[in-house]
Amino acid sequence: MRHALVAGEVLGGASARTVLAGFGLNSSWQLGKPSVDDSIDRIGEPVVCAVDGTVTQIACGREHSAMVVRRHDGIRRVLVCGNNAYGQLGLAAEGSGSDHGLPRYGINELTALSDVLGGGEEPVKVQCGLDHTVVLTSRGRVFAMGWGDDGQLGTGLQTSSKRPVLVAGLEGTPIADISSTTDFTLALAVDGRLFYWGNAEYGQCMVGRKIDRVLARMNVSFGGGRIKAVAAGGCHSLLLTEAGQVYVCGYGALGLGPDKLAVLEPTPIGGLDGVEAILASTDRCLAIDKERRVYSWGLGNSAGRLGNGSAAANVFLPEALSIDPALVNPSMTALGNDIAIMVS
């Protein structure tokens, strides 16, 4: 997650095209197309390209990207680009070899998704883990593809897939939201139930114990109120209740102070009230409250990625950032491994 894609101006009215600007690493064409000098991995200037339709959502993994695009006919589809070594793009063809011999692609449509969707069913959200991709549909079904050794695909098996496969055990349980950034996924059902699958070696699965890997979806009991939103980090999970309280579980700078780096059950984070949105990445978090105040905490602040203006290596408690609330839009905020993006 050392790259970012931003959807910009939509051109052309009825025959709209969305301009994309990509920043950061591009060794696998994860920014949508080859760089001018394809021998350079890290790009100092944006890589700009355009796609037909209106981009409604984007996700970035380790070396791949995925996005939901509304076509001119109103139908949504998924576009993918980048590294396909484990099938995380859902493309069966070999692609173009990169400098390190791995298959890579510019922007392609995930046509294999159409083979598994029902009539009138469309993708509504994509999430990219490190080397896998998860898709939520308009019928509340969840599909996954890519690396699966830690159960990332939720099929009950330790196998990878180059095609979208249905996450098992959710039949009859429509899912409202999904979150994945590394090697596990959180899924919030329409009825408020919470499900988990993938790597759980740090206890981020919220069941009171560490589990090496969860191969099939696991129901997570939560007694802190109805869950409004979920956010999957690297070694930790975040939950947001409808009452605006944030809970955390797992390992790292959890927002609980320097003396509590690991918890095995969802634990409320003090000092955060009236929260409306939460975001998590590999080892850091953001929370935005109803007053549009932004709070940040996590590990590894040497490059200033936590945004608090401090040289402290780690931030163990949520700190309010000096950002004008008038510029904060929770639905237009994204958090990556080394960057955060806010569009006002």
Side-chain angles (χ1 to χ4, degrees):
M1 290 169 287
R2 299 183 183 275
H3 71 283
L5 274 178
V6 179
E9 186 178 8
V10 178
L11 308 172
S15 57
R17 304 196 81 208
T18 302
V19 176
L20 298 172
F23 308 85
L25 296 183
N26 196 38
S27 56
S28 294
W29 302 352
Q30 57 264 53
L31 301 184
K33 67 178 185 181
S35 309
V36 174
D37 184 351
D38 200 32
S39 66
I40 301 175
D41 282 350
R42 189 179 299 272
I43 307 304
E45 296 183 357
V47 172
V48 179
C49 55
V51 298
D52 291 334
T54 302
V55 174
T56 61
Q57 188 247 327
I58 300 175
C60 296
R62 191 203 311 259
E63 289 189 13
H64 76 291
S65 306
M67 65 196 80
V68 178
V69 181
R70 189 182 300 277
R71 300 190 308 199
H72 305 144
D73 57 9
I75 297 175
R76 286 170 288 195
R77 57 179 174 164
V78 172
L79 302 183
V80 292
C81 59
N83 189 308
N84 194 43
Y86 304 106
Q88 57 264 52
L89 303 186
L91 305 175
E94 290 302 319
S96 300
S98 67
D99 291 339
H100 42 282
L102 299 178
R104 58 184 178 177
Y105 293 81
I107 293 176
N108 275 260
E109 181 176 353
L110 176 56
T111 55
L113 189 61
S114 300
D115 298 334
V116 295
L117 296 183
E121 188 176 18
E122 300 176 342
V124 296
K125 185 174 184 178
V126 291
Q127 292 285 273
C128 291
L130 291 176
D131 300 305
H132 75 285
T133 306
V134 189
V135 181
L136 175 65
T137 78
S138 55
R139 291 187 180 176
R141 296 200 296 168
V142 182
F143 293 87
M145 55 202 171
W147 180 249
D149 193 59
D150 279 335
Q152 292 96 322
L153 307 189
T155 61
L157 303 171
Q158 288 180 258
T159 56
S160 301
S161 176
K162 293 183 178 180
R163 285 285 188 266
V165 293
L166 184 66
V167 173
L170 296 175
E171 297 82 359
T173 306
I175 300 300
D177 197 14
I178 55 173
S179 178
S180 183
T181 63
T182 53
D183 285 324
F184 70 92
T185 298
L186 299 175
L188 181 62
V190 172
D191 62 14
R193 284 184 290 169
L194 177 62
F195 298 96
Y196 183 107
W197 62 89
N199 181 280
E201 62 183 304
Y202 297 98
Q204 66 267 41
C205 54
M206 299 172 284
V207 294
R209 68 186 190 278
K210 298 178 182 179
I211 304 174
D212 184 37
R213 59 196 74 183
V214 178
L215 301 182
R217 72 97 180 120
M218 179 172 60
N219 191 358
V220 178
S221 298
F222 177 70
R226 189 174 178 89
I227 300 172
K228 176 182 178 180
V230 295
C235 306
H236 64 289
S237 298
L238 285 183
L239 305 178
L240 173 63
T241 69
E242 290 187 345
Q245 177 66 61
V246 180
Y247 288 75
V248 66
C249 184
Y251 171 80
L254 303 177
L256 304 175
D259 299 323
K260 187 171 285 190
L261 303 182
V263 292
L264 297 178
E265 295 182 348
T267 303
I269 298 177
L272 294 177
D273 298 304
V275 172
E276 289 193 346
I278 52 173
L279 300 97
S281 186
T282 306
D283 49 16
R284 62 186 183 128
C285 305
L286 289 180
I288 303 173
D289 68 14
K290 61 184 178 182
E291 304 297 332
R292 298 295 190 265
R293 290 183 292 246
V294 181
Y295 296 85
S296 173
W297 66 99
L299 298 175
N301 194 36
S302 58
R305 65 184 185 137
L306 300 181
N308 65 350
S310 168
N314 305 305
V315 176
F316 295 102
L317 292 169
E319 292 190 4
L321 303 185
S322 299
I323 300 175
D324 184 351
L327 301 177
V328 178
N329 182 347
S331 65
M332 296 293 285
T333 302
L335 185 66
N337 189 53
D338 289 326
I339 61 172
I341 297 176
M342 294 185 177
V343 180
S344 59

